[in-house]
Amino acid sequence: MTGTARRYHHGDLRAALISTGYDLLAEHGLAAFSVARVARELEISTASPYRHFPDRDHLLAAVATRAAEELAAEVERAVDAAGPDPVDRFAATGGAYVRFAAVRGAGFNVIFAAELRGLHDEALSAAGRGLMDRLLDLARAAVGGDTERSLWLLEQQVALAHGYVALLADGFFVRPHQTVDHLARQATEAGRTLARGLA
Amino acid sequence: MTGTARRYHHGDLRAALISTGYDLLAEHGLAAFSVARVARELEISTASPYRHFPDRDHLLAAVATRAAEELAAEVERAVDAAGPDPVDRFAATGGAYVRFAAVRGAGFNVIFAAELRGLHDEALSAAGRGLMDRLLDLARAAVGGDTERSLWLLEQQVALAHGYVALLADGFFVRPHQTVDHLARQATEAGRTLARGLA
DNA sequence: GTCTATAAATAGATAGAC
DNA sequence: GTCTATCTATTTATAGAC
């Protein structure tokens, strides 16, 4: 991908900017994300993106929105594959987070970044809210319906999943046998422990 | 602190650079961290820091080392205060992480940042290793001595603690009643659940 | 060991031509 | 809607005076 000419904005530069920004984030991290670099990657002028986004942060928010939507899709896939047991279904979301982050890197962090909160971007807020609502549903089913316990469990699980993602991103705890699948299983297992602890 | 003139490098600019960088990180985040800005804050020239650190990353590593040492001290305080039960002592480390991160902000993330791993800074590596060794000891005591289970628990607990710190940093899940103390208690409680799950 | 001065990148953003 | 050209700000890092 990197270094390859793309120039594929056949009438839809906006979409190309998001797509390229998304890949850039995954491959080189947030520090490397800039309007200038996205433009360079697409072989367009640095001025062109500003016809589609008012500033850097709004482009980043659009990228984050796409990341949130794809994370939600990954969660859905994992839940479907987990079978009928509510605790299994809930626990599977942790594994989905880990797998998503392994592929998309910093694209994950940007979804909930405080840096973008102040923008009050409606699409991004909605995507994040949708994901949390879904997780809360799954938590509620896992603990048997109690709302207070559901919220506790949701909070613990989100923390746990974010934590595994952080360890993965920092290259922490990477002993030879710790592949992504291993980490995803560990996250799933820990989520199961938490769910049982509150059920 | 911010905006106040300091110029307190009475013969020890190196220490002043670390101290100011540490505060800068806590107050304005990693994105705001730069050699130039630390120098500006101290009212010295931008060239002076390079007499004490070869480049930006080595200064940042020194700051991270200090953060790691202070986190370790916070953990020790929490463990001491937790009483004699091994599960309580282990669980208390999660609360210590949260309280430390609440005060030091991005100073926390930098301790384990992949960005600095490549430097192979001996002091930073040693500080991180010391902390993990201590947590592993506590985990081992909590599960009753088994090494394999201790490693699992350590991994789960570090993930959990990092996750709560991430939620705190992103201003996530901050409903009115969720003070730092509340979050620290939640992290402690979740750690207890994990320890019991593996004990 | 600290300073002034400066070089070389890079980024964000805008004006105005086409 | 895209380009060229440009401005401003910022950073990392070095050279050389004191």
Side-chain angles (χ1 to χ4, degrees):
Chain A
M1 204 77 89
T2 317
T4 312
R6 315 187 192 209
R7 55 167 65 263
Y8 55 94
H9 57 290
H10 306 297
D12 200 354
L13 182 54
R14 189 193 149 88
L17 289 166
I18 295 173
S19 183
T20 301
Y22 190 45
D23 290 343
L24 182 61
L25 212 50
E27 289 165 28
H28 300 282
L30 184 56
F33 182 90
S34 73
V35 175
R37 182 146 177 194
V38 171
R40 209 182 306 131
E41 210 91 21
L42 276 167
E43 297 179 58
I44 57 169
S45 81
T46 63
S48 297
Y50 290 94
R51 287 286 137 187
H52 300 272
F53 297 97
D55 56 34
R56 181 208 113 114
D57 283 354
H58 281 87
L59 170 55
L60 187 56
V63 170
T65 302
R66 165 143 171 208
E69 290 163 354
E70 299 207 354
L71 172 58
E74 183 73 39
V75 164
E76 225 44 59
R77 261 193 299 280
V79 169
D80 282 348
D85 183 80
V87 169
D88 288 343
R89 290 166 70 82
F90 175 76
T93 61
Y97 261 63
V98 170
R99 275 190 300 272
F100 176 80
V103 176
R104 304 311 321 189
F108 175 89
N109 305 307
V110 102
I111 298 174
F112 307 107
E115 188 184 351
L116 299 177
R117 198 69 48 80
L119 255 55
H120 300 294
D121 182 287
E122 194 41 53
L124 178 55
S125 302
R129 225 181 305 120
L131 179 58
M132 284 307 120
D133 287 349
R134 182 68 177 118
L135 292 181
L136 183 57
D137 277 349
L138 292 163
R140 190 176 281 119
V143 300
D146 184 85
T147 296
E148 188 68 16
R149 284 171 182 276
S150 305
L151 285 168
W152 286 346
L153 181 56
L154 174 63
E155 184 176 310
Q156 293 181 350
Q157 171 73 347
V158 172
L160 186 75
H162 278 236
Y164 269 100
V165 168
L167 296 191
L168 189 67
D170 290 343
F172 200 72
F173 264 133
V174 181
R175 289 169 297 180
H177 65 286
Q178 281 167 321
T179 61
V180 170
D181 275 348
H182 168 83
L183 272 178
R185 265 196 300 274
Q186 287 285 98
T188 303
E189 195 49 51
R192 207 189 310 272
T193 302
L194 291 175
R196 286 203 185 116
L198 277 168
Chain B
M1 203 77 89
T2 316
T4 313
R6 315 186 191 209
R7 56 167 64 265
Y8 55 95
H9 56 289
H10 306 296
D12 199 355
L13 181 54
R14 189 191 149 90
L17 289 166
I18 294 173
S19 183
T20 300
Y22 190 47
D23 290 344
L24 181 61
L25 212 51
E27 289 165 27
H28 299 283
L30 183 55
F33 182 90
S34 72
V35 175
R37 182 146 177 191
V38 171
R40 208 183 307 131
E41 210 91 22
L42 275 167
E43 297 179 58
I44 57 169
S45 82
T46 62
S48 297
Y50 291 94
R51 287 286 138 187
H52 300 272
F53 296 96
D55 55 35
R56 182 208 112 116
D57 283 355
H58 281 87
L59 170 56
L60 187 56
V63 170
T65 302
R66 166 144 172 207
E69 290 162 355
E70 300 207 354
L71 173 57
E74 183 72 39
V75 164
E76 223 45 58
R77 262 193 298 280
V79 168
D80 282 348
D85 182 81
V87 169
D88 287 343
R89 290 166 71 81
F90 175 77
T93 61
Y97 262 63
V98 169
R99 275 189 300 272
F100 176 79
V103 176
R104 303 312 321 189
F108 175 89
N109 305 305
V110 102
I111 298 174
F112 306 107
E115 189 183 352
L116 298 177
R117 197 70 47 80
L119 257 55
H120 300 293
D121 183 287
E122 193 42 53
L124 178 55
S125 302
R129 224 181 305 120
L131 180 58
M132 284 307 121
D133 286 349
R134 182 67 177 116
L135 292 182
L136 184 56
D137 278 348
L138 292 162
R140 189 177 280 119
V143 300
D146 183 85
T147 298
E148 188 66 17
R149 283 170 184 278
S150 304
L151 285 167
W152 287 345
L153 181 57
L154 174 63
E155 184 176 311
Q156 292 182 350
Q157 172 73 348
V158 172
L160 186 75
H162 278 236
Y164 269 99
V165 168
L167 295 192
L168 188 68
D170 290 343
F172 200 71
F173 264 132
V174 182
R175 289 170 296 179
H177 64 287
Q178 281 166 322
T179 60
V180 170
D181 275 347
H182 167 84
L183 271 178
R185 268 196 299 275
Q186 288 284 98
T188 303
E189 196 49 51
R192 208 189 309 272
T193 302
L194 291 175
R196 286 201 185 118
L198 277 168

